[in-house]
Amino acid sequence: MSLTAPVTHANPLPTGSQPGVTTAPLPKSQKKYLAGQLHPEIRVPYREVSLSPSKVFNSDQLSENKPVALYDTSGPYTDPDVAIDVSQGLAPIRTQWIEKRNDTELTERQILNYGGKSLLSIPSLQRQPRRAKSGHNVSQMHYARQGMITPEMEFVALRENLRNQVLKEGLMDLERKSRLKGNPLGAQIPEDITPEFVRQEIARGRAIIPANINHPELEPVIIGRNFLVKINANIGNSAVSSSIEEEVEKLVWSIRWGADTVMDLSTGANIHATRDYILRNAPVPIGTVPIYQALEKVDGKAEELTWDIFRDTLIEQAEQGVDYFTIHAGVLLKYVPLTANRMTGIVSRGGSIMAKWCLAHHKENFLYTHFEDICEIMKAYDVSFSLGDGLRPGSIADANDAAQFGELETLGELTQLAWKHDVQTMIEGPGHVPMHMIQENMEKQLKHCDEAPFYTLGPLTTDLAPGYDHITSGIGAAMIGWFGTAMLCYVTPKEHLGLPNREDVKTGVITYKIAAHAADLAKGHPAARYRDDALSKARFEFRWEDQFNLSLDPETARAFHDETLPADGAKEAQFCSMCGPKFCSMSITQDVRELAEKTGDLKA
Amino acid sequence: MSLTAPVTHANPLPTGSQPGVTTAPLPKSQKKYLAGQLHPEIRVPYREVSLSPSKVFNSDQLSENKPVALYDTSGPYTDPDVAIDVSQGLAPIRTQWIEKRNDTELTERQILNYGGKSLLSIPSLQRQPRRAKSGHNVSQMHYARQGMITPEMEFVALRENLRNQVLKEGLMDLERKSRLKGNPLGAQIPEDITPEFVRQEIARGRAIIPANINHPELEPVIIGRNFLVKINANIGNSAVSSSIEEEVEKLVWSIRWGADTVMDLSTGANIHATRDYILRNAPVPIGTVPIYQALEKVDGKAEELTWDIFRDTLIEQAEQGVDYFTIHAGVLLKYVPLTANRMTGIVSRGGSIMAKWCLAHHKENFLYTHFEDICEIMKAYDVSFSLGDGLRPGSIADANDAAQFGELETLGELTQLAWKHDVQTMIEGPGHVPMHMIQENMEKQLKHCDEAPFYTLGPLTTDLAPGYDHITSGIGAAMIGWFGTAMLCYVTPKEHLGLPNREDVKTGVITYKIAAHAADLAKGHPAARYRDDALSKARFEFRWEDQFNLSLDPETARAFHDETLPADGAKEAQFCSMCGPKFCSMSITQDVRELAEKTGDLKA
């Protein structure tokens, strides 16, 4: 099995073909970088889309349209100047930042029992692990609370702010600005995201930068209600299907379309080696659910799990560089009976494993009783908590019930404990919730968890559309994003039915980019709307290519257009296939403007 | 060109193949009918899905699952006992009801200038037209206000109530009923939908039953905020592409997946004949935008439109049987200049045509000045108004602006005028609106239009995803449906890019069924949740076939499942491809239940 993936500057591979990694830039897009001011060594990537000129109204002249700068999650894969070799991994851009802090040291790998068959058949991509020097806490929260602005913090400030700078040159007039000012529902997003604002938000616990010191390939990302809403894509093989190569390509593919973080939910063989390849090739934070691997080590028998096995698994994964861990420490013994009469019981895998363990031993969840021991590990590597909602509802019938909200209160208690250790923490949320019950989830989370970032799966707003759960959940995700959720975990069309393939991953990511952006618009994020405006202006002016290139998925937009009007000339046409030339409202509106100017009717 | 479409009891045709009409019933589904009590002659169709038995927990016994009755829009096409012949049209089930009222008479066709090339090349499907006897008003609103409960009213009462009856045998326990009671936001949906309740809602103007007396093939549908949320699918050829056969199949295809009404937006040649074929084969209400055809008659020159030409077009289409007309009577001269500085001007075709006419003549919109003349035509055939929002925003930047809301106030004024004539009326709404500005649309509509049913296009919650506008708009549609919109006009993935093909129509319909159902759940419609519950129960019990068959799209659900676990045995498996047997949370939950019973932990 070879993992050497050649650089492919080609169109995306068709589903099911031999996977390489996809590296071509998106159309008319150029990778650019901003330098830091506090930390001149940082290079913050963005994507610049160049546009064609507009025709000046009632004249033959052209007026330039400035290129549009976009937040770019795709990493070096879309930079033609970077040679990609999956068997080597990405350049470790953070190593210098981390070493400069002089509070970490390289160590030997402590854990060698990985479970499964890993390391036997797969060439290794391990780096020597690093951990905090004795007595040190290397979390971004700790630095923030000490008043330090790290390179990671300046990086995310520039990254978030990017669009503000463009905006100010921009398209926004005052009437619009006032009419469309947004309803932030308690979020407080400043006009400018400064590094100091980032530091304050991290120190307060209201945002996190998942950034394990063993993941130097990372381009840092901030997750918090006062920043752009982020999305996560889940990948991972299972006992039934898929290979390491496929998973690495799914990672690259998902960030190409906009995933801000990726969770590796692998449960099958080669779980350790798969994770190595994913991490070494990931410019985005990687999350895992360590209990899955711990369970592999006891051959699937939940009742045989022990704290020692779990602890070793945490250390093993922290040494590899995992940026955040889902930990189901809120599934308490007392909550388990509350699920007995549910329509769909416990649907979280981690939740059901821990529930089974609790009942089998009739003891409290060891993740809860050892929570501070876990904190000690987290702060030695800067792994962030993603406190798992093991009792989330798996159907509309079970939404917002006593089991779910009981666990949420416990997660609030654990948040305070994590913060005592300066460990960065976010909270996972549901699940299946009808629309009118979504806001209660957000309000309770903000209250119990003191504004720690909320990270939700959907929620799905109805159960009746398997095959379309990206949509049932995209509705709930957009709403809860508006209400204050910081990161939305995507759901693909295959949810409840099978493992997502490449096309499903793309559909899930694009759907969730829509939800996240719709939420940013509703919150009135000062930089959210200019991309809509640039695209709408292009649409109104029949600049078809610009409309495609500014969209979330230029390839699909172009392909759909070309199905009915394939000729290149049609892309300059002042009409499209929907109405034909005689009926085009956009074209008639141009006439209306001319007429109105002549008759003086524009003066109103 | 032959229109004889043989009955096909086959799988849906692949996209792009020779279209017949699709008539096979959905899997495990049987067409059944309820008889009326006030009007024993009516037969209200529904679809019954049979289920497999459940295994009794901790035992080898089986327990039956009662079949589930579903609202069924698909008409006779899914009844294997009915022979379908597109060249003959459907059986005229309402003729007897209409004749019994003894207030109509058959007439000669008044209008023979149809524009275009129609009638020359296409065999006709015309019936002799019927109209109100002199001095009579044949609208359902008029009957309702006279205290009559028509067969149409009892039909829709039984149809809406269907699921209540099932529910009462049902799955709902008291704790759930209280927890999930919904937030109707001012809607007042009774536990039972009685014919008298329907009559009151029609009389009040809060609901309509679009039911032209020249459309006897219709299975009546009610549209109003106190009923199930409905969806509309747009079909129609344009100058650029598509044929009559394709349009008839799109009709049949869209109602197969759940469209409650269909609008024929054809603009090309054969516009009259296309409409004949659609109406004679439509068991659902058909809407049109008559100004499109009127414009054909003046060869696309908006300024040459006259009241006479428009009036003749209304009569022509009313004689054919169109159930509702979109009429852009609210585009007043004074509003046109308000659109001049918009990002995307006027994006409604009808709106831009009327704006151009107003400016060219510097006169008030003739649809406005002749509004009561139009009412006279409407009530002679019972055509319902769909008062068009010609100034709806075409981009986020233009949402909720002065032009849009000015027009909405005028539509409110026209609603009162229509009601003076007992003409059924609904109001069209936007468009492109960010999430936080959606509710204002609903509130203003309820206020200005005195609770006349709202009928919205989306709204799209962001502009940046051409190719995915079923999703950008599905989010807004679900929300505005919850807030009180009575009917949601679908948007397909091709919106802004091209004409939808068969697959796009299906995707649009399913997406909007999701939005409408999510809205019903949020409003707390007493009968909405039992289908979710039945499906979730099947999911939890690993009854895969039942899960597929209860879903909105059984074919896609099954195909997605089979991609990873194709064997038939897998459909009884107690796990799926997502986690594999060791990690299945559903399976672990069964263990949890057993353990909890043994240890007494279920008593909590």
Side-chain angles (χ1 to χ4, degrees):
Chain A
M1 176 156 57
S2 160
L3 268 153
T4 310
V7 180
T8 56
H9 286 283
N11 284 327
L13 299 158
T15 308
S17 79
Q18 181 61 26
V21 293
T22 310
T23 57
L26 289 173
K28 292 281 182 190
S29 292
Q30 227 188 322
K31 175 81 82 178
K32 296 202 166 179
Y33 297 90
L34 290 174
Q37 295 190 324
L38 302 172
H39 301 282
E41 69 274 25
I42 67 178
R43 293 173 79 226
V44 180
Y46 65 99
R47 173 159 74 96
E48 194 175 87
V49 182
S50 54
L51 303 179
S52 50
S54 299
K55 286 179 195 145
V56 174
F57 180 61
N58 259 343
S59 124
D60 291 335
Q61 288 183 309
L62 294 177
S63 93
E64 289 301 306
N65 286 297
K66 287 200 179 142
V68 170
L70 299 178
Y71 192 107
D72 185 359
T73 58
S74 63
Y77 298 99
T78 50
D79 185 343
D81 297 338
V82 176
I84 298 294
D85 179 349
V86 171
S87 68
Q88 298 301 310
L90 299 174
I93 57 171
R94 286 176 67 223
T95 302
Q96 196 197 122
W97 314 350
I98 294 162
E99 284 177 348
K100 243 187 182 172
R101 291 196 278 260
N102 200 28
D103 52 4
T104 57
E105 59 196 3
L106 295 175
T107 64
E108 291 311 304
R109 252 169 219 274
Q110 295 177 58
I111 309 298
L112 296 170
N113 167 23
Y114 303 144
K117 312 180 284 268
S118 53
L119 294 183
L120 301 176
S121 55
I122 318 277
S124 171
L125 247 183
Q126 294 187 346
R127 295 189 197 277
Q128 192 180 1
R130 177 186 297 278
R131 57 169 288 147
K133 287 181 184 168
S134 173
H136 283 269
N137 181 337
V138 299
S139 82
Q140 294 288 323
M141 187 180 211
H142 185 71
Y143 300 139
R145 287 179 166 184
Q146 306 300 311
M148 266 177 72
I149 294 175
T150 61
E152 287 86 351
M153 294 175 203
E154 189 182 21
F155 190 102
V156 299
L158 286 166
R159 207 171 187 187
E160 295 276 323
N161 220 24
L162 194 60
R163 312 210 286 183
N164 274 327
Q165 290 165 347
V166 176
L167 178 72
K168 276 166 199 152
E169 306 169 16
L171 294 158
M172 184 84 96
D173 71 31
L174 276 182
E175 185 276 334
R176 282 205 185 103
K177 194 164 177 179
S178 143
R179 179 162 42 84
L180 296 153
K181 66 181 183 302
N183 182 358
L185 296 171
Q188 293 180 300
I189 308 168
E191 282 286 318
D192 280 303
I193 308 288
T194 62
E196 170 57 18
F197 177 74
V198 168
R199 188 198 64 73
Q200 287 169 16
E201 291 288 296
I202 303 280
R204 168 66 180 76
R206 201 153 44 203
I208 67 172
I209 300 179
N212 186 324
I213 54 172
N214 286 309
H215 188 194
E217 302 85 356
L218 177 74
E219 296 173 350
V221 179
I222 191 161
I223 300 166
R225 70 188 292 217
N226 291 325
F227 300 94
L228 292 164
V229 175
K230 304 302 186 297
I231 70 164
N232 173 71
N234 290 334
I235 61 173
N237 56 5
S238 83
V240 179
S241 72
S242 75
S243 70
I244 290 184
E245 293 102 320
E246 282 175 78
E247 295 314 310
V248 173
E249 168 57 5
K250 274 188 205 160
L251 159 74
V252 173
W253 186 239
S254 62
I255 63 179
R256 178 178 182 82
W257 300 111
D260 294 287
T261 81
V262 168
M263 287 194 81
D264 172 20
L265 303 184
S266 296
T267 54
N270 295 323
I271 188 170
H272 181 95
T274 304
R275 195 182 308 122
D276 262 338
Y277 275 88
I278 287 174
L279 276 160
R280 298 293 73 80
N281 288 289
V284 297
I286 298 296
T288 61
V289 188
I291 201 83
Y292 295 171
Q293 189 182 6
L295 195 65
E296 292 279 355
K297 295 179 184 175
V298 293
D299 207 25
K301 300 182 186 113
E303 58 278 18
E304 294 185 9
L305 282 168
T306 64
W307 160 243
D308 287 350
I309 290 170
F310 187 75
R311 182 200 57 213
D312 285 0
T313 308
L314 291 186
I315 293 171
E316 170 195 340
Q317 297 197 12
E319 287 181 338
Q320 283 182 292
V322 174
D323 300 289
Y324 62 91
F325 288 152
T326 293
I327 296 198
H328 297 93
V331 179
L332 302 191
L333 182 59
K334 66 180 176 187
Y335 299 141
V336 177
L338 300 178
T339 67
N341 292 319
R342 278 181 159 186
M343 180 69 74
T344 46
I346 301 175
V347 295
S348 148
R349 279 186 260 168
S352 57
I353 293 166
M354 293 319 301
K356 191 168 179 184
W357 188 92
C358 290
L359 287 185
H361 297 279
H362 209 83
K363 271 195 186 158
E364 195 50 278
N365 182 339
F366 64 78
L367 303 173
Y368 180 80
T369 56
H370 283 278
F371 193 74
E372 293 199 72
D373 298 325
I374 300 174
C375 289
E376 293 298 337
I377 298 168
M378 307 299 261
K379 66 200 202 192
Y381 302 92
D382 198 9
V383 184
S384 298
F385 275 117
S386 184
L387 293 177
D389 55 337
L391 303 180
R392 68 171 178 266
S395 56
I396 293 296
D398 295 341
N400 295 18
D401 73 354
Q404 186 202 334
F405 282 152
E407 182 187 28
L408 182 59
E409 283 188 43
T410 300
L411 298 185
E413 179 197 317
L414 295 172
T415 301
Q416 295 300 329
L417 217 47
W419 285 355
K420 195 182 86 180
H421 291 269
D422 294 353
V423 175
Q424 302 191 93
T425 301
M426 62 182 169
I427 311 294
E428 296 184 11
H432 292 239
V433 185
M435 279 192 289
H436 67 294
M437 295 167 80
I438 292 176
Q439 198 151 15
E440 186 183 6
N441 278 274
M442 192 70 232
E443 285 167 358
K444 279 197 158 47
Q445 192 275 343
L446 288 171
K447 183 181 150 210
H448 294 312
C449 304
D450 199 10
E451 296 189 80
F454 205 21
Y455 167 31
T456 62
L457 180 69
L460 286 71
T461 54
T462 165
D463 303 339
L464 54 68
Y468 299 81
D469 278 327
H470 58 307
I471 299 175
T472 64
S473 70
I475 294 166
M479 291 175 74
I480 207 164
W482 171 25
F483 299 157
T485 288
M487 183 154 77
L488 307 169
C489 182
Y490 86 171
V491 171
T492 76
K494 290 277 171 60
E495 183 77 12
H496 298 121
L497 298 170
L499 281 175
N501 62 24
R502 221 159 152 276
E503 271 316 293
D504 298 320
V505 166
K506 179 174 173 184
T507 302
V509 168
I510 300 279
T511 302
Y512 273 68
K513 289 302 280 183
I514 290 169
H517 185 75
D520 288 333
L521 288 174
K523 288 167 80 175
H525 192 290
R529 225 194 66 233
Y530 84 97
R531 185 173 177 183
D532 298 76
D533 288 357
L535 190 148
S536 290
K537 185 164 183 274
R539 177 176 285 158
F540 189 65
E541 293 172 353
F542 298 101
R543 287 183 282 118
W544 288 98
E545 290 289 345
D546 291 349
Q547 189 190 157
F548 304 152
N549 296 338
L550 286 165
S551 75
L552 288 180
D553 179 1
E555 288 158 13
T556 297
R558 180 174 290 103
F560 281 2
H561 175 270
D562 290 358
E563 262 181 46
T564 27
L565 282 180
D568 260 0
K571 292 192 198 74
E572 274 121 57
Q574 300 286 312
F575 63 92
C576 65
S577 63
M578 287 167 286
C579 313
K582 270 204 297 206
F583 282 88
C584 177
S585 63
M586 298 262 187
S587 162
I588 293 177
T589 299
Q590 307 280 13
D591 298 347
V592 166
R593 283 195 183 170
E594 274 179 60
L595 266 168
E597 269 194 354
K598 269 190 222 156
T599 57
D601 279 327
L602 278 184
K603 278 179 234 136
Chain B
M1 176 157 55
S2 159
L3 268 154
T4 309
V7 180
T8 57
H9 286 281
N11 284 326
L13 299 159
T15 309
S17 79
Q18 181 61 24
V21 292
T22 310
T23 57
L26 289 174
K28 292 280 181 190
S29 292
Q30 229 188 320
K31 175 81 80 178
K32 297 203 165 177
Y33 297 90
L34 290 174
Q37 295 190 325
L38 302 171
H39 301 281
E41 69 275 24
I42 67 178
R43 292 174 80 226
V44 180
Y46 66 99
R47 172 160 73 96
E48 193 175 88
V49 182
S50 54
L51 303 179
S52 49
S54 299
K55 286 180 193 143
V56 175
F57 180 59
N58 258 344
S59 126
D60 290 335
Q61 289 182 307
L62 294 177
S63 92
E64 289 302 306
N65 286 296
K66 289 200 177 143
V68 170
L70 299 177
Y71 192 107
D72 186 0
T73 58
S74 62
Y77 299 98
T78 51
D79 185 342
D81 297 338
V82 177
I84 298 294
D85 181 348
V86 171
S87 68
Q88 297 303 310
L90 300 174
I93 57 170
R94 286 177 64 223
T95 303
Q96 196 196 123
W97 316 350
I98 294 161
E99 284 177 348
K100 245 189 183 170
R101 291 195 277 260
N102 201 26
D103 53 3
T104 57
E105 59 196 3
L106 294 175
T107 64
E108 291 311 305
R109 258 172 212 272
Q110 295 178 58
I111 309 300
L112 296 170
N113 167 23
Y114 303 145
K117 313 181 282 269
S118 52
L119 295 183
L120 300 178
S121 55
I122 318 277
S124 172
L125 248 185
Q126 292 187 348
R127 296 189 196 277
Q128 191 180 2
R130 178 186 296 277
R131 58 170 289 147
K133 288 181 182 166
S134 175
H136 283 269
N137 180 337
V138 298
S139 82
Q140 294 289 323
M141 188 179 209
H142 184 72
Y143 300 138
R145 288 179 166 184
Q146 306 300 311
M148 268 178 71
I149 294 175
T150 62
E152 287 85 350
M153 294 174 203
E154 188 182 20
F155 191 102
V156 299
L158 286 166
R159 206 171 186 186
E160 295 275 323
N161 220 24
L162 195 60
R163 313 213 284 185
N164 275 326
Q165 291 163 347
V166 176
L167 178 71
K168 276 166 199 154
E169 304 170 14
L171 293 158
M172 184 84 96
D173 71 34
L174 276 181
E175 184 277 334
R176 284 206 184 101
K177 194 164 178 180
S178 143
R179 178 162 43 83
L180 297 152
K181 66 182 184 301
N183 182 359
L185 296 170
Q188 293 180 300
I189 308 168
E191 282 287 318
D192 280 303
I193 307 289
T194 62
E196 170 57 19
F197 177 74
V198 168
R199 188 198 64 73
Q200 287 169 16
E201 292 288 296
I202 303 280
R204 167 67 181 75
R206 199 150 49 199
I208 67 172
I209 300 179
N212 187 323
I213 54 172
N214 287 309
H215 188 195
E217 302 84 358
L218 178 72
E219 297 173 351
V221 179
I222 191 160
I223 300 166
R225 69 187 292 217
N226 291 325
F227 300 92
L228 292 165
V229 175
K230 303 302 186 294
I231 70 164
N232 172 70
N234 290 334
I235 61 173
N237 56 5
S238 83
V240 179
S241 72
S242 76
S243 70
I244 290 184
E245 293 102 320
E246 281 175 79
E247 294 313 310
V248 173
E249 168 56 6
K250 272 188 208 162
L251 159 74
V252 173
W253 186 240
S254 63
I255 62 178
R256 178 178 181 80
W257 300 111
D260 294 286
T261 82
V262 168
M263 289 193 80
D264 172 20
L265 303 184
S266 297
T267 54
N270 294 322
I271 189 168
H272 181 95
T274 303
R275 197 181 309 121
D276 262 339
Y277 276 88
I278 287 174
L279 276 159
R280 299 291 75 78
N281 288 288
V284 297
I286 299 295
T288 61
V289 187
I291 201 83
Y292 297 170
Q293 189 182 6
L295 195 65
E296 292 278 355
K297 295 179 183 175
V298 294
D299 207 25
K301 297 181 187 116
E303 59 277 19
E304 293 184 10
L305 283 167
T306 64
W307 161 243
D308 288 349
I309 290 170
F310 187 75
R311 182 200 56 214
D312 285 359
T313 307
L314 290 186
I315 293 169
E316 170 194 340
Q317 297 197 12
E319 287 180 338
Q320 284 183 291
V322 174
D323 300 288
Y324 61 93
F325 288 152
T326 293
I327 296 198
H328 297 94
V331 179
L332 301 191
L333 183 60
K334 66 181 175 187
Y335 299 141
V336 178
L338 299 178
T339 67
N341 292 320
R342 278 181 158 186
M343 180 69 73
T344 46
I346 300 174
V347 296
S348 148
R349 281 186 259 167
S352 57
I353 292 165
M354 292 320 300
K356 191 169 179 183
W357 188 93
C358 289
L359 287 184
H361 297 277
H362 208 83
K363 270 196 187 157
E364 195 50 277
N365 181 339
F366 64 80
L367 302 174
Y368 180 81
T369 55
H370 284 276
F371 193 74
E372 293 199 72
D373 299 325
I374 300 175
C375 290
E376 295 297 338
I377 298 168
M378 305 300 261
K379 67 199 200 193
Y381 303 92
D382 197 10
V383 184
S384 299
F385 274 118
S386 184
L387 294 178
D389 55 337
L391 303 180
R392 68 171 177 268
S395 56
I396 294 295
D398 296 340
N400 294 19
D401 72 354
Q404 186 200 336
F405 282 152
E407 182 187 29
L408 182 59
E409 282 188 44
T410 300
L411 298 185
E413 177 198 317
L414 295 172
T415 301
Q416 295 300 329
L417 217 47
W419 286 354
K420 196 182 84 180
H421 291 268
D422 294 352
V423 175
Q424 303 191 92
T425 302
M426 60 182 171
I427 311 295
E428 295 185 10
H432 292 238
V433 185
M435 280 192 287
H436 68 294
M437 295 167 79
I438 293 175
Q439 199 153 14
E440 186 183 8
N441 278 274
M442 192 69 233
E443 285 167 358
K444 279 197 158 48
Q445 192 274 344
L446 288 171
K447 184 181 151 210
H448 294 312
C449 303
D450 198 10
E451 297 190 79
F454 203 23
Y455 168 31
T456 61
L457 179 69
L460 286 71
T461 53
T462 166
D463 303 340
L464 54 68
Y468 298 82
D469 278 328
H470 58 307
I471 299 176
T472 64
S473 70
I475 294 166
M479 291 175 73
I480 207 163
W482 171 23
F483 300 156
T485 289
M487 185 155 76
L488 307 169
C489 182
Y490 87 171
V491 172
T492 78
K494 290 277 170 60
E495 183 77 13
H496 298 120
L497 298 169
L499 280 175
N501 62 23
R502 223 161 153 276
E503 271 317 294
D504 298 321
V505 166
K506 179 175 173 183
T507 302
V509 168
I510 300 277
T511 301
Y512 273 67
K513 289 301 281 182
I514 289 169
H517 185 75
D520 287 333
L521 287 175
K523 288 167 80 174
H525 193 291
R529 225 195 65 231
Y530 85 97
R531 185 173 177 182
D532 297 77
D533 288 357
L535 190 148
S536 290
K537 185 164 182 275
R539 178 176 286 158
F540 189 65
E541 292 172 350
F542 298 102
R543 287 184 282 118
W544 288 98
E545 289 290 344
D546 291 349
Q547 188 187 159
F548 304 152
N549 296 338
L550 286 166
S551 75
L552 287 179
D553 179 1
E555 288 158 14
T556 297
R558 181 174 288 103
F560 280 2
H561 174 270
D562 290 358
E563 262 182 47
T564 28
L565 281 180
D568 260 0
K571 292 194 198 75
E572 274 120 57
Q574 299 288 310
F575 63 92
C576 65
S577 63
M578 286 167 285
C579 313
K582 271 204 298 204
F583 283 87
C584 176
S585 62
M586 299 263 187
S587 162
I588 294 177
T589 299
Q590 307 280 12
D591 298 347
V592 167
R593 282 195 184 171
E594 274 179 59
L595 266 169
E597 269 193 354
K598 270 190 221 156
T599 57
D601 279 328
L602 279 184
K603 279 177 237 140

